[in-house]
Amino acid sequence: MSDESSDKHVERVIIIGGGTAGWMTAAGLASMLGSTGLAITLIESEAIGIVGVGEATLPHIKYFNDTIGVDEAEFIAATSATFKLGIEFVDWARKGDSYIHPFGEFGLANEGVPFHQYWSKMSGALDTGPLDDYSLPVVACRKGRFQRPSDDPRSVLSTYRYAYQFDAMQYAPFLRKHGEARGVTRIEGKVTGVDQESESGNIASVTLETGQRVEGDLFVDCTGFIGLLIEKTLKTGYESWSQYLPCDRAVAAPCESAGPLLPYTRATADCAGWRWRIPLQHRTGNGHVYSSGFIGDEDAERALVDNLDGKLLADPRILRFVTGKRRKLWNHNCIAIGLSGGFLEPLESTSIYLIQEGITKLLELFPDTDSFTVEMEEYNRRMDLEFERIRDFLILHYHATERDDSDFWNYLRTMKIPGSLADKLELFRNSGRIAAYDHGLFLVPSWIAVLLGQRIGPTNYDWRVDQLSEEHIRQHLSGLRNHMEQAASDMFDHANFLTQNGLARGVA
Protein backbone atom coordinates (compact mmCIF):
# COMPACT_ATOMS: atom_id res chain seq x y z
CA MET A 1 0.00 0.00 0.00
CA SER A 2 1.37 3.42 -0.92
CA ASP A 3 2.18 6.02 1.69
CA GLU A 4 -0.69 8.49 1.40
CA SER A 5 1.33 11.18 3.15
CA SER A 6 3.59 11.32 0.11
CA ASP A 7 0.71 12.21 -2.20
CA LYS A 8 0.44 15.85 -3.13
CA HIS A 9 -2.95 17.51 -2.65
CA VAL A 10 -4.67 19.03 -5.67
CA GLU A 11 -4.87 22.68 -4.80
CA ARG A 12 -4.42 24.46 -8.14
CA VAL A 13 -6.45 23.91 -11.33
CA ILE A 14 -5.20 25.62 -14.47
CA ILE A 15 -7.62 25.93 -17.40
CA ILE A 16 -5.98 26.66 -20.74
CA GLY A 17 -8.37 28.34 -23.18
CA GLY A 18 -11.55 30.34 -22.72
CA GLY A 19 -14.60 30.22 -24.93
CA THR A 20 -17.65 28.19 -23.97
CA ALA A 21 -15.70 25.14 -22.74
CA GLY A 22 -13.18 27.11 -20.70
CA TRP A 23 -15.60 29.40 -18.95
CA MET A 24 -18.21 26.68 -18.35
CA THR A 25 -15.45 24.67 -16.68
CA ALA A 26 -14.23 27.63 -14.64
CA ALA A 27 -17.74 28.63 -13.54
CA GLY A 28 -18.67 25.05 -12.70
CA LEU A 29 -15.56 24.36 -10.63
CA ALA A 30 -15.75 27.73 -8.85
CA SER A 31 -19.43 27.32 -8.00
CA MET A 32 -19.11 23.77 -6.69
CA LEU A 33 -15.58 23.66 -5.27
CA GLY A 34 -14.63 27.28 -4.69
CA SER A 35 -15.49 27.11 -1.01
CA THR A 36 -12.87 24.37 -0.50
CA GLY A 37 -10.03 26.79 -1.16
CA LEU A 38 -9.27 25.34 -4.58
CA ALA A 39 -7.42 27.93 -6.70
CA ILE A 40 -8.83 28.11 -10.23
CA THR A 41 -6.94 29.98 -12.93
CA LEU A 42 -7.98 30.40 -16.56
CA ILE A 43 -5.46 31.44 -19.19
CA GLU A 44 -6.73 32.75 -22.52
CA SER A 45 -5.56 35.02 -25.29
CA GLU A 46 -7.85 37.51 -26.96
CA ALA A 47 -5.66 37.12 -30.04
CA ILE A 48 -6.87 33.53 -30.45
CA GLY A 49 -10.39 33.24 -31.85
CA ILE A 50 -13.01 30.82 -30.59
CA VAL A 51 -15.42 28.56 -32.46
CA GLY A 52 -18.73 30.28 -31.72
CA VAL A 53 -21.33 30.08 -34.45
CA GLY A 54 -24.52 30.15 -32.42
CA GLU A 55 -25.58 27.28 -30.23
CA ALA A 56 -28.59 25.03 -30.01
CA THR A 57 -28.62 23.08 -26.77
CA LEU A 58 -30.34 20.26 -24.90
CA PRO A 59 -32.40 20.62 -21.71
CA HIS A 60 -29.38 19.67 -19.60
CA ILE A 61 -28.00 23.20 -20.04
CA LYS A 62 -30.80 24.56 -17.84
CA TYR A 63 -29.77 22.18 -15.07
CA PHE A 64 -26.15 23.34 -15.39
CA ASN A 65 -27.12 27.01 -15.25
CA ASP A 66 -29.43 26.41 -12.29
CA THR A 67 -26.78 24.42 -10.44
CA ILE A 68 -24.13 27.13 -10.66
CA GLY A 69 -26.62 29.84 -9.73
CA VAL A 70 -27.26 31.51 -13.08
CA ASP A 71 -30.43 33.58 -13.25
CA GLU A 72 -32.42 32.50 -16.31
CA ALA A 73 -33.69 35.97 -17.19
CA GLU A 74 -30.17 37.44 -17.04
CA PHE A 75 -28.81 34.58 -19.14
CA ILE A 76 -31.49 34.94 -21.82
CA ALA A 77 -31.04 38.70 -22.05
CA ALA A 78 -27.23 38.45 -22.16
CA THR A 79 -27.14 35.82 -24.90
CA SER A 80 -30.15 36.87 -27.01
CA ALA A 81 -31.56 33.43 -26.30
CA THR A 82 -34.79 31.82 -27.39
CA PHE A 83 -36.49 28.73 -26.02
CA LYS A 84 -36.22 25.34 -27.67
CA LEU A 85 -38.62 22.39 -27.47
CA GLY A 86 -37.04 20.11 -30.06
CA ILE A 87 -35.27 19.67 -33.40
CA GLU A 88 -37.00 19.41 -36.75
CA PHE A 89 -35.47 17.05 -39.32
CA VAL A 90 -36.36 17.77 -42.95
CA ASP A 91 -35.68 15.52 -45.98
CA TRP A 92 -33.79 12.83 -44.06
CA ALA A 93 -35.57 9.58 -44.95
CA ARG A 94 -37.07 10.97 -48.14
CA LYS A 95 -37.19 14.41 -49.70
CA GLY A 96 -40.34 16.10 -48.46
CA ASP A 97 -40.34 14.31 -45.09
CA SER A 98 -40.39 16.24 -41.84
CA TYR A 99 -40.50 15.14 -38.22
CA ILE A 100 -39.54 16.66 -34.87
CA HIS A 101 -37.40 15.07 -32.18
CA PRO A 102 -39.02 16.55 -29.05
CA PHE A 103 -37.72 17.11 -25.55
CA GLY A 104 -40.54 15.08 -24.09
CA GLU A 105 -42.73 12.01 -24.22
CA PHE A 106 -45.01 10.60 -26.88
CA GLY A 107 -48.43 9.98 -25.39
CA LEU A 108 -48.82 8.15 -22.09
CA ALA A 109 -47.86 4.60 -21.16
CA ASN A 110 -50.77 2.26 -20.39
CA GLU A 111 -50.44 -0.75 -18.08
CA GLY A 112 -46.67 -0.50 -18.40
CA VAL A 113 -46.75 -0.64 -22.21
CA PRO A 114 -45.09 2.31 -23.99
CA PHE A 115 -47.47 4.52 -25.94
CA HIS A 116 -45.77 4.00 -29.30
CA GLN A 117 -46.74 0.31 -29.17
CA TYR A 118 -50.45 1.24 -29.21
CA TRP A 119 -49.82 3.78 -31.95
CA SER A 120 -47.92 1.17 -34.01
CA LYS A 121 -50.89 -1.20 -33.93
CA MET A 122 -53.29 1.52 -35.06
CA SER A 123 -50.98 3.47 -37.39
CA GLY A 124 -52.65 2.08 -40.51
CA ALA A 125 -56.00 3.62 -39.61
CA LEU A 126 -56.83 6.93 -41.28
CA ASP A 127 -57.98 8.58 -38.05
CA THR A 128 -54.82 7.71 -36.09
CA GLY A 129 -52.61 10.45 -37.51
CA PRO A 130 -48.83 10.79 -37.25
CA LEU A 131 -46.94 10.07 -34.04
CA ASP A 132 -46.06 13.79 -33.80
CA ASP A 133 -49.68 14.55 -32.95
CA TYR A 134 -49.27 12.79 -29.60
CA SER A 135 -46.34 14.82 -28.32
CA LEU A 136 -47.14 18.17 -26.72
CA PRO A 137 -43.74 19.77 -27.49
CA VAL A 138 -44.04 18.74 -31.14
CA VAL A 139 -47.53 20.20 -31.48
CA ALA A 140 -46.33 23.37 -29.73
CA CYS A 141 -43.36 23.61 -32.11
CA ARG A 142 -45.61 23.37 -35.15
CA LYS A 143 -47.73 26.19 -33.75
CA GLY A 144 -44.76 28.35 -32.68
CA ARG A 145 -45.94 28.19 -29.07
CA PHE A 146 -44.12 28.00 -25.76
CA GLN A 147 -44.84 27.73 -22.06
CA ARG A 148 -42.65 26.59 -19.21
CA PRO A 149 -43.47 23.04 -18.06
CA SER A 150 -45.71 22.41 -15.07
CA ASP A 151 -44.45 20.80 -11.85
CA ASP A 152 -47.76 18.97 -11.49
CA PRO A 153 -47.20 15.36 -12.71
CA ARG A 154 -50.93 15.06 -13.42
CA SER A 155 -50.75 17.77 -16.06
CA VAL A 156 -49.85 17.15 -19.70
CA LEU A 157 -47.70 20.28 -19.33
CA SER A 158 -45.32 18.19 -17.21
CA THR A 159 -44.46 15.83 -20.08
CA TYR A 160 -41.68 17.90 -21.64
CA ARG A 161 -38.57 19.95 -20.91
CA TYR A 162 -36.94 22.83 -22.72
CA ALA A 163 -33.52 24.05 -23.80
CA TYR A 164 -32.18 27.28 -25.29
CA GLN A 165 -30.92 28.61 -28.59
CA PHE A 166 -28.36 31.33 -27.93
CA ASP A 167 -25.37 33.27 -29.21
CA ALA A 168 -22.27 31.34 -28.12
CA MET A 169 -20.10 34.42 -28.60
CA GLN A 170 -22.07 36.05 -25.78
CA TYR A 171 -22.25 33.04 -23.45
CA ALA A 172 -18.53 32.87 -22.62
CA PRO A 173 -18.31 36.56 -21.53
CA PHE A 174 -21.45 36.04 -19.45
CA LEU A 175 -19.90 33.05 -17.68
CA ARG A 176 -16.62 34.90 -17.27
CA LYS A 177 -18.35 37.46 -15.05
CA HIS A 178 -20.02 34.65 -13.16
CA GLY A 179 -16.74 32.77 -12.65
CA GLU A 180 -14.64 35.76 -11.71
CA ALA A 181 -17.24 36.81 -9.14
CA ARG A 182 -16.66 33.40 -7.51
CA GLY A 183 -12.92 33.65 -7.37
CA VAL A 184 -11.64 32.51 -10.76
CA THR A 185 -8.37 34.23 -11.71
CA ARG A 186 -8.06 35.10 -15.39
CA ILE A 187 -4.67 35.59 -17.04
CA GLU A 188 -4.48 37.17 -20.47
CA GLY A 189 -1.75 35.61 -22.53
CA LYS A 190 -0.70 33.02 -25.07
CA VAL A 191 0.88 29.76 -23.92
CA THR A 192 4.23 29.25 -25.67
CA GLY A 193 5.68 26.41 -23.60
CA VAL A 194 4.59 23.43 -21.54
CA ASP A 195 6.84 21.88 -18.89
CA GLN A 196 6.48 18.25 -17.83
CA GLU A 197 7.80 16.42 -14.79
CA SER A 198 10.66 14.19 -15.87
CA GLU A 199 9.58 11.08 -13.93
CA SER A 200 5.76 11.08 -14.07
CA GLY A 201 5.26 12.89 -17.36
CA ASN A 202 2.64 15.07 -15.69
CA ILE A 203 2.34 18.69 -16.71
CA ALA A 204 4.10 20.87 -14.16
CA SER A 205 3.56 24.34 -15.61
CA VAL A 206 2.93 26.42 -18.70
CA THR A 207 4.93 29.40 -19.86
CA LEU A 208 3.35 32.45 -21.48
CA GLU A 209 4.82 34.59 -24.23
CA THR A 210 5.55 37.23 -21.59
CA GLY A 211 7.84 34.75 -19.83
CA GLN A 212 5.42 34.22 -16.94
CA ARG A 213 5.38 30.65 -15.63
CA VAL A 214 2.12 29.28 -14.21
CA GLU A 215 2.28 26.10 -12.11
CA GLY A 216 -0.63 23.79 -11.39
CA ASP A 217 -1.64 20.40 -10.03
CA LEU A 218 -4.44 19.64 -12.48
CA PHE A 219 -4.73 21.09 -15.98
CA VAL A 220 -7.86 21.36 -18.14
CA ASP A 221 -7.30 21.63 -21.89
CA CYS A 222 -9.95 23.85 -23.50
CA THR A 223 -7.80 24.89 -26.47
CA GLY A 224 -10.18 23.57 -29.12
CA PHE A 225 -9.20 21.37 -32.04
CA ILE A 226 -5.50 22.11 -31.52
CA GLY A 227 -5.41 20.18 -28.20
CA LEU A 228 -2.37 22.07 -26.96
CA LEU A 229 -1.91 19.98 -23.80
CA ILE A 230 -3.77 16.73 -24.44
CA GLU A 231 -2.29 16.15 -27.89
CA LYS A 232 0.61 18.44 -28.74
CA THR A 233 2.21 17.85 -25.34
CA LEU A 234 0.95 14.46 -24.12
CA LYS A 235 0.57 12.77 -27.55
CA THR A 236 -2.65 11.10 -26.44
CA GLY A 237 -3.85 10.05 -29.89
CA TYR A 238 -7.18 10.46 -31.66
CA GLU A 239 -9.81 7.89 -32.63
CA SER A 240 -11.45 8.90 -35.90
CA TRP A 241 -15.03 7.90 -36.68
CA SER A 242 -14.98 9.30 -40.21
CA GLN A 243 -15.92 5.92 -41.68
CA TYR A 244 -19.32 6.27 -40.01
CA LEU A 245 -19.69 10.06 -40.02
CA PRO A 246 -17.83 11.35 -43.09
CA CYS A 247 -18.80 15.03 -42.77
CA ASP A 248 -15.57 16.91 -42.07
CA ARG A 249 -16.37 20.58 -42.68
CA ALA A 250 -18.96 23.22 -41.91
CA VAL A 251 -19.60 26.63 -43.38
CA ALA A 252 -21.46 29.03 -41.07
CA ALA A 253 -23.09 32.42 -41.55
CA PRO A 254 -25.70 34.52 -39.70
CA CYS A 255 -28.61 36.20 -41.44
CA GLU A 256 -31.44 38.55 -40.56
CA SER A 257 -34.46 37.02 -38.89
CA ALA A 258 -37.44 36.29 -41.09
CA GLY A 259 -40.82 34.83 -40.28
CA PRO A 260 -42.09 33.80 -36.84
CA LEU A 261 -39.65 33.14 -33.99
CA LEU A 262 -39.79 29.36 -33.78
CA PRO A 263 -39.08 27.40 -30.57
CA TYR A 264 -37.00 24.74 -32.31
CA THR A 265 -33.88 24.16 -34.36
CA ARG A 266 -34.06 22.83 -37.92
CA ALA A 267 -31.71 20.36 -39.61
CA THR A 268 -32.33 19.96 -43.35
CA ALA A 269 -30.61 17.13 -45.19
CA ASP A 270 -28.74 18.16 -48.35
CA CYS A 271 -26.96 16.24 -51.10
CA ALA A 272 -23.70 15.83 -49.15
CA GLY A 273 -24.58 16.78 -45.57
CA TRP A 274 -27.15 18.95 -43.82
CA ARG A 275 -27.98 22.58 -43.05
CA TRP A 276 -28.82 23.98 -39.62
CA ARG A 277 -31.10 26.88 -38.75
CA ILE A 278 -31.05 28.33 -35.23
CA PRO A 279 -33.45 31.23 -34.51
CA LEU A 280 -32.09 33.73 -31.98
CA GLN A 281 -33.76 36.93 -30.80
CA HIS A 282 -31.64 39.26 -32.94
CA ARG A 283 -30.71 37.05 -35.89
CA THR A 284 -30.76 33.53 -37.29
CA GLY A 285 -27.73 31.26 -37.09
CA ASN A 286 -27.11 29.08 -40.15
CA GLY A 287 -24.61 26.49 -41.21
CA HIS A 288 -23.95 23.68 -43.65
CA VAL A 289 -22.19 20.56 -42.35
CA TYR A 290 -20.80 18.56 -45.27
CA SER A 291 -18.31 15.99 -46.47
CA SER A 292 -15.49 17.43 -48.59
CA GLY A 293 -15.21 14.04 -50.27
CA PHE A 294 -18.64 14.55 -51.86
CA ILE A 295 -18.91 18.32 -52.39
CA GLY A 296 -16.51 21.23 -52.84
CA ASP A 297 -16.26 24.21 -50.50
CA GLU A 298 -17.68 26.69 -53.01
CA ASP A 299 -20.70 24.52 -53.78
CA ALA A 300 -21.27 23.92 -50.07
CA GLU A 301 -21.18 27.65 -49.36
CA ARG A 302 -23.54 28.34 -52.24
CA ALA A 303 -26.00 25.74 -50.94
CA LEU A 304 -26.01 27.53 -47.59
CA VAL A 305 -26.32 31.10 -48.87
CA ASP A 306 -29.00 30.22 -51.45
CA ASN A 307 -31.24 28.80 -48.71
CA LEU A 308 -31.03 31.61 -46.15
CA ASP A 309 -34.28 33.10 -44.87
CA GLY A 310 -32.96 36.65 -44.67
CA LYS A 311 -30.15 39.00 -45.64
CA LEU A 312 -26.62 37.75 -44.99
CA LEU A 313 -25.07 39.56 -41.99
CA ALA A 314 -21.45 38.36 -42.23
CA ASP A 315 -19.18 36.53 -44.63
CA PRO A 316 -19.46 32.74 -44.39
CA ARG A 317 -16.56 31.01 -42.67
CA ILE A 318 -15.40 27.43 -42.98
CA LEU A 319 -14.55 25.14 -40.07
CA ARG A 320 -12.62 21.89 -40.55
CA PHE A 321 -12.88 18.92 -38.21
CA VAL A 322 -12.45 15.18 -37.87
CA THR A 323 -15.28 13.36 -36.15
CA GLY A 324 -14.07 11.29 -33.22
CA LYS A 325 -12.47 11.61 -29.79
CA ARG A 326 -9.14 11.50 -27.98
CA ARG A 327 -8.09 8.00 -26.96
CA LYS A 328 -8.13 9.32 -23.40
CA LEU A 329 -10.09 12.35 -22.28
CA TRP A 330 -8.07 12.34 -19.04
CA ASN A 331 -4.37 11.63 -19.54
CA HIS A 332 -1.80 12.14 -16.79
CA ASN A 333 -2.94 15.26 -14.93
CA CYS A 334 -4.73 16.77 -17.94
CA ILE A 335 -8.45 16.61 -18.75
CA ALA A 336 -9.62 17.60 -22.24
CA ILE A 337 -13.02 19.31 -22.25
CA GLY A 338 -14.77 20.62 -25.35
CA LEU A 339 -13.30 20.39 -28.84
CA SER A 340 -9.89 19.45 -27.46
CA GLY A 341 -11.45 16.16 -26.30
CA GLY A 342 -13.33 15.31 -29.46
CA PHE A 343 -15.94 16.43 -31.95
CA LEU A 344 -19.33 15.07 -32.89
CA GLU A 345 -21.17 17.14 -35.44
CA PRO A 346 -23.99 19.25 -33.91
CA LEU A 347 -26.82 17.31 -35.55
CA GLU A 348 -28.45 16.68 -32.17
CA SER A 349 -27.06 19.74 -30.37
CA THR A 350 -24.67 17.67 -28.24
CA SER A 351 -21.58 19.92 -28.25
CA ILE A 352 -22.35 21.85 -25.07
CA TYR A 353 -23.83 18.73 -23.48
CA LEU A 354 -20.46 16.97 -23.84
CA ILE A 355 -18.73 19.97 -22.26
CA GLN A 356 -21.20 19.85 -19.41
CA GLU A 357 -20.78 16.10 -18.94
CA GLY A 358 -17.02 16.48 -18.89
CA ILE A 359 -17.36 19.07 -16.12
CA THR A 360 -19.97 17.08 -14.19
CA LYS A 361 -17.94 13.87 -14.23
CA LEU A 362 -14.81 15.79 -13.22
CA LEU A 363 -16.70 17.21 -10.24
CA GLU A 364 -17.98 13.76 -9.29
CA LEU A 365 -14.49 12.26 -9.49
CA PHE A 366 -12.44 15.27 -8.48
CA PRO A 367 -9.24 13.93 -6.89
CA ASP A 368 -8.02 14.90 -3.45
CA THR A 369 -4.41 14.08 -4.26
CA ASP A 370 -2.24 13.59 -7.33
CA SER A 371 -2.60 9.80 -6.97
CA PHE A 372 -5.72 9.62 -9.13
CA THR A 373 -5.31 6.60 -11.41
CA VAL A 374 -8.65 5.09 -10.36
CA GLU A 375 -10.51 8.37 -10.89
CA MET A 376 -8.87 8.85 -14.28
CA GLU A 377 -9.82 5.38 -15.49
CA GLU A 378 -13.43 5.77 -14.35
CA TYR A 379 -13.67 9.21 -15.96
CA ASN A 380 -12.42 7.85 -19.27
CA ARG A 381 -14.77 4.88 -19.12
CA ARG A 382 -17.82 7.08 -18.58
CA MET A 383 -16.86 9.66 -21.18
CA ASP A 384 -16.10 6.95 -23.74
CA LEU A 385 -19.63 5.64 -23.25
CA GLU A 386 -21.09 9.13 -23.70
CA PHE A 387 -19.22 9.70 -26.94
CA GLU A 388 -19.88 6.25 -28.38
CA ARG A 389 -23.61 6.30 -27.66
CA ILE A 390 -24.05 9.77 -29.11
CA ARG A 391 -22.03 8.59 -32.12
CA ASP A 392 -24.44 5.69 -32.67
CA PHE A 393 -27.46 7.99 -32.42
CA LEU A 394 -25.99 10.34 -35.03
CA ILE A 395 -25.15 7.45 -37.36
CA LEU A 396 -28.79 6.36 -37.13
CA HIS A 397 -29.92 9.61 -38.78
CA TYR A 398 -27.70 9.00 -41.79
CA HIS A 399 -28.12 5.25 -42.09
CA ALA A 400 -31.91 5.16 -41.67
CA THR A 401 -32.69 6.65 -45.06
CA GLU A 402 -34.23 5.69 -48.36
CA ARG A 403 -32.44 8.45 -50.24
CA ASP A 404 -30.44 7.37 -53.28
CA ASP A 405 -30.11 10.72 -55.04
CA SER A 406 -26.37 11.20 -54.38
CA ASP A 407 -23.19 9.19 -53.78
CA PHE A 408 -23.16 10.56 -50.24
CA TRP A 409 -26.51 9.01 -49.30
CA ASN A 410 -25.78 5.79 -51.16
CA TYR A 411 -22.63 5.34 -49.10
CA LEU A 412 -24.33 6.04 -45.77
CA ARG A 413 -27.40 3.93 -46.49
CA THR A 414 -25.33 0.85 -47.33
CA MET A 415 -22.32 1.22 -45.00
CA LYS A 416 -21.50 -1.22 -42.22
CA ILE A 417 -22.56 0.26 -38.89
CA PRO A 418 -21.22 -0.39 -35.35
CA GLY A 419 -22.51 -3.59 -33.79
CA SER A 420 -23.94 -1.62 -30.86
CA LEU A 421 -26.26 0.23 -33.25
CA ALA A 422 -27.02 -2.81 -35.40
CA ASP A 423 -28.26 -4.73 -32.34
CA LYS A 424 -30.52 -1.83 -31.34
CA LEU A 425 -32.02 -1.65 -34.83
CA GLU A 426 -32.64 -5.39 -34.99
CA LEU A 427 -34.49 -5.40 -31.68
CA PHE A 428 -36.70 -2.49 -32.73
CA ARG A 429 -37.50 -3.95 -36.15
CA ASN A 430 -38.55 -7.23 -34.54
CA SER A 431 -40.67 -5.96 -31.67
CA GLY A 432 -40.75 -2.16 -31.50
CA ARG A 433 -38.68 -2.33 -28.32
CA ILE A 434 -35.75 -0.08 -27.48
CA ALA A 435 -32.86 -1.41 -25.41
CA ALA A 436 -32.56 1.34 -22.80
CA TYR A 437 -29.16 2.51 -21.55
CA ASP A 438 -28.11 2.63 -17.92
CA HIS A 439 -25.77 5.47 -18.94
CA GLY A 440 -26.17 7.60 -22.02
CA LEU A 441 -27.79 10.77 -23.24
CA PHE A 442 -30.66 9.71 -25.48
CA LEU A 443 -33.58 7.94 -23.82
CA VAL A 444 -36.30 5.81 -25.39
CA PRO A 445 -38.50 8.70 -26.70
CA SER A 446 -35.52 10.10 -28.64
CA TRP A 447 -34.87 6.78 -30.38
CA ILE A 448 -38.58 6.40 -31.12
CA ALA A 449 -38.70 9.88 -32.69
CA VAL A 450 -35.83 9.23 -35.09
CA LEU A 451 -36.58 5.59 -35.92
CA LEU A 452 -40.23 6.17 -36.76
CA GLY A 453 -39.54 9.63 -38.16
CA GLN A 454 -37.12 8.08 -40.65
CA ARG A 455 -39.42 5.25 -41.64
CA ILE A 456 -37.84 2.44 -39.63
CA GLY A 457 -40.94 0.61 -38.46
CA PRO A 458 -41.31 -2.58 -36.40
CA THR A 459 -42.74 -5.72 -37.98
CA ASN A 460 -44.54 -6.52 -34.72
CA TYR A 461 -45.82 -4.67 -31.68
CA ASP A 462 -45.87 -5.59 -28.00
CA TRP A 463 -48.36 -8.47 -27.59
CA ARG A 464 -49.80 -6.86 -24.44
CA VAL A 465 -51.45 -4.22 -26.64
CA ASP A 466 -54.00 -6.82 -27.75
CA GLN A 467 -55.44 -6.98 -24.24
CA LEU A 468 -57.36 -3.82 -25.11
CA SER A 469 -59.94 -3.67 -27.87
CA GLU A 470 -59.22 -1.62 -30.98
CA GLU A 471 -62.20 0.60 -30.19
CA HIS A 472 -60.84 1.32 -26.72
CA ILE A 473 -57.41 2.18 -28.15
CA ARG A 474 -58.99 4.34 -30.87
CA GLN A 475 -60.97 6.35 -28.32
CA HIS A 476 -57.89 6.76 -26.15
CA LEU A 477 -55.82 8.00 -29.08
CA SER A 478 -58.51 10.40 -30.21
CA GLY A 479 -58.91 11.90 -26.76
CA LEU A 480 -55.16 12.22 -26.27
CA ARG A 481 -54.68 13.84 -29.66
CA ASN A 482 -57.37 16.43 -28.95
CA HIS A 483 -55.89 17.10 -25.51
CA MET A 484 -52.46 17.80 -27.01
CA GLU A 485 -53.94 20.11 -29.63
CA GLN A 486 -55.87 22.14 -27.05
CA ALA A 487 -52.97 22.35 -24.59
CA ALA A 488 -50.60 23.64 -27.29
CA SER A 489 -53.19 26.15 -28.53
CA ASP A 490 -53.50 27.53 -25.00
CA MET A 491 -49.77 28.26 -24.81
CA PHE A 492 -48.19 31.64 -25.56
CA ASP A 493 -46.84 32.62 -28.92
CA HIS A 494 -43.08 32.09 -28.50
CA ALA A 495 -42.05 35.69 -29.30
CA ASN A 496 -44.86 37.06 -27.13
CA PHE A 497 -43.75 34.86 -24.23
CA LEU A 498 -40.27 36.40 -24.40
CA THR A 499 -41.67 39.92 -24.58
CA GLN A 500 -44.35 39.57 -21.91
CA ASN A 501 -41.91 37.98 -19.45
CA GLY A 502 -39.31 40.71 -19.91
CA LEU A 503 -36.88 38.35 -21.64
CA ALA A 504 -36.72 40.00 -25.05
CA ARG A 505 -33.71 41.97 -26.18
CA GLY A 506 -34.34 43.19 -29.69
CA VAL A 507 -36.67 40.45 -30.88
CA ALA A 508 -36.87 40.80 -34.64
Side-chain angles (χ1 to χ4, degrees), residues 143-379:
K143 293 178 175 293
R145 303 275 176 160
F146 179 79
Q147 183 174 328
R148 289 191 179 95
S150 169
D151 294 328
D152 184 355
R154 298 168 298 178
S155 170
V156 71
L157 294 172
S158 69
T159 61
Y160 64 94
R161 298 182 295 162
Y162 67 88
Y164 310 102
Q165 301 164 134
F166 63 84
D167 188 338
M169 298 296 286
Q170 298 172 357
Y171 188 43
F174 175 78
L175 287 180
R176 174 182 169 181
K177 294 178 182 178
H178 188 87
E180 289 182 323
R182 285 157 179 77
V184 175
T185 298
R186 177 188 181 275
I187 298 177
E188 167 64 32
K190 184 178 180 181
V191 174
T192 56
V194 182
D195 301 312
Q196 292 175 263
E197 297 174 356
S198 57
E199 292 187 10
S200 67
N202 285 347
I203 296 171
S205 65
V206 296
T207 303
L208 308 186
E209 58 186 350
T210 60
Q212 180 181 0
R213 186 168 178 264
V214 183
E215 297 180 339
D217 304 313
L218 203 63
F219 290 79
V220 183
D221 187 337
C222 297
T223 61
F225 292 126
I226 192 174
L228 179 63
L229 304 182
I230 196 71
E231 191 59 45
K232 286 191 173 296
T233 301
L234 297 176
K235 312 298 182 186
T236 302
Y238 195 82
E239 182 179 354
S240 171
W241 291 330
S242 297
Q243 72 272 34
Y244 303 125
L245 297 165
C247 289
D248 58 356
R249 297 185 185 182
V251 56
C255 74
E256 291 182 349
S257 300
L261 193 63
L262 300 175
Y264 59 90
T265 301
R266 178 178 295 142
T268 302
D270 216 318
C271 65
W274 60 278
R275 290 176 279 110
W276 78 69
R277 181 185 183 278
I278 304 174
L280 309 182
Q281 289 192 29
H282 60 311
R283 62 171 173 80
T284 299
N286 309 277
H288 183 190
V289 176
Y290 61 97
S291 171
S292 62
F294 293 91
I295 191 174
D297 292 344
E298 290 186 4
D299 288 338
E301 181 178 321
R302 187 177 305 111
L304 173 67
V305 174
D306 287 350
N307 285 281
L308 296 180
D309 293 341
K311 180 182 176 182
L312 194 66
L313 293 176
D315 291 335
R317 61 191 181 105
I318 292 179
L319 310 171
R320 293 173 173 81
F321 56 84
V322 177
T323 299
K325 57 173 284 295
R326 301 289 170 199
R327 296 195 183 280
K328 294 181 180 179
L329 277 295
W330 184 339
N331 191 9
H332 289 280
N333 63 335
C334 175
I335 299 98
I337 292 181
L339 298 178
S340 61
F343 181 81
L344 293 173
E345 60 185 76
L347 182 58
E348 282 282 357
S349 307
T350 54
S351 296
I352 284 184
Y353 168 81
L354 284 168
I355 293 172
Q356 182 179 335
E357 278 301 288
I359 298 166
T360 300
K361 287 176 172 54
L362 175 58
L363 287 167
E364 292 173 354
L365 297 167
F366 198 87
D368 179 40
T369 70
D370 62 0
S371 178
F372 43 65
T373 301
V374 173
E375 290 88 346
M376 177 177 66
E377 290 178 351
E378 178 64 10
Y379 182 93

Side-chain angles (χ1 to χ4, degrees), residues 99-102 106 131-132 444-454:
Y99 70 93
I100 289 178
H101 169 196
F106 288 99
L131 184 66
D132 280 2
V444 170
S446 297
W447 285 90
I448 293 298
V450 178
L451 285 164
L452 293 177
Q454 295 193 203

Side-chain angles (χ1 to χ4, degrees), residues 477-504:
L477 292 181
S478 177
L480 190 58
R481 195 179 183 190
N482 292 336
H483 190 39
M484 298 292 184
E485 173 72 19
Q486 187 59 53
S489 298
D490 290 342
M491 290 181 174
F492 296 92
D493 172 82
H494 181 214
N496 289 343
F497 183 89
L498 288 165
T499 301
Q500 293 177 19
N501 286 276
L503 303 173

Side-chain angles (χ1 to χ4, degrees), residues 21 36 44 96 130 196 259 266 427 431 456:
T36 66
E44 67 176 338
Q196 292 175 263
R266 178 178 295 142
L427 178 64
S431 63
I456 300 295

